[in-house]
Amino acid sequence: DLEAWAVLHVSQEHAADVDAACRALVKSLGGGGWLTHAVGDAIDTRAICLIRETLARHSGLADFAFAMQGLGSGAISLAGSDALKARYLPRVARGEAIAAFALSEPDAGSDVAALACTARADGEQYVLDGVKTWISNGGIADFYVVFARDAGMRPDSQSAGEAPRSRGISAFVVDADRPGLDASQRIELMAPHPMATLSFTNCRIPATQRIGAAGEGFKVAMRTLDVFRT
């Protein structure tokens, strides 16, 4: 029973070191088996809501830690290759890897289709350049699911149901230790949880780190939000 577990494992005191507290909560939630509800092929949104409601009664940070493991890895659960799922999802479910969802930009918050971060194909790699901001778990995440405008997509390419400016966006998994990724610019909040601005400068990742087909990133982002923002 989650309520009984939370009484024993979730402190209601405000943490002096928010990063350390968040890491500890993720590890504890994973050890308790609760993160399995936020990861995988069959995610139950109702269960997500009930778990978040219970955790939030005890600690806003505990609710955040649980929700971000799901949101940060959700694109992989929904549209990732078998190799990406095998590499990341078991560690997320065990609380051994912290996930983050990198969609918003300084000029592309609610208007997601306005994003300007780019991904350029270069042989067997992609090169990412641009800025993401208001990224929860920024600075402590082990990997980021990043949405970028795919420079290789034709300007007139568009899938059914997409608005014109949402075309050509692809999704990628970027490990936090990749050269060219800087997550050191932290953002202070009134309700403290880890948040940062991410900068990508000639950040190279293997092409196999792309989630889904090229240009399907907008759909992947919306599917992920449909599950975890209820």
Side-chain angles (χ1 to χ4, degrees):
D1 165 275
L2 178 57
E3 178 66 31
W5 180 90
V7 169
L8 295 175
H9 295 91
V10 178
S11 172
Q12 297 188 21
E13 300 296 323
H14 289 290
D17 186 336
V18 174
D19 288 2
C22 194
R23 290 189 181 99
L25 281 165
V26 170
K27 186 173 182 180
S28 184
L29 286 163
W34 301 109
L35 293 177
T36 59
H37 294 280
V39 176
D41 295 327
I43 299 171
D44 183 346
T45 298
R46 180 176 181 273
I48 294 290
C49 292
L50 292 171
I51 291 170
R52 291 196 61 182
E53 180 180 282
T54 301
L55 291 173
R57 284 202 300 271
H58 294 268
S59 163
L61 191 60
D63 168 42
F64 166 85
F66 172 83
M68 281 309 305
Q69 286 296 91
L71 179 63
S73 65
I76 302 173
S77 291
L78 294 171
S81 66
D82 289 342
L84 288 176
K85 290 178 179 180
R87 180 178 177 186
Y88 292 99
L89 297 185
R91 291 189 295 139
V92 171
R94 293 193 298 265
E96 297 170 358
I98 294 177
F101 184 81
L103 179 62
S104 297
E105 298 182 2
D107 295 314
S110 57
D111 184 9
V112 174
L115 66 80
C117 184
T118 62
R120 172 177 55 86
D122 183 14
E124 298 300 313
Q125 296 182 320
Y126 273 93
V127 183
L128 274 62
D129 287 285
V131 176
K132 297 288 180 180
T133 195
W134 310 302
I135 306 306
S136 294
N137 274 345
I140 72 166
D142 294 286
F143 67 88
Y144 300 86
V145 169
V146 179
F147 299 86
R149 196 162 295 282
D150 195 323
M153 298 294 293
R154 298 195 326 270
D156 61 344
S157 62
Q158 183 176 353
S159 297
E162 285 186 321
R165 289 192 301 153
S166 66
R167 68 184 65 164
I169 296 170
S170 295
F172 306 89
V173 187
V174 183
D175 291 320
D177 60 359
R178 293 299 296 186
L181 168 57
D182 180 4
S184 63
Q185 186 179 341
R186 303 299 293 274
I187 299 172
E188 298 299 323
L189 302 171
M190 292 179 66
H193 65 264
M195 180 172 278
T197 294
L198 313 179
S199 296
F200 297 89
T201 306
N202 196 37
C203 180
R204 291 180 171 270
I205 60 172
T208 52
Q209 294 292 99
R210 192 183 67 211
I211 301 173
E216 292 189 350
F218 185 80
K219 289 182 178 180
V220 171
M222 295 304 104
R223 287 179 63 199
T224 306
L225 292 172
D226 280 347
V227 173
F228 292 99
R229 284 276 178 89
T230 302

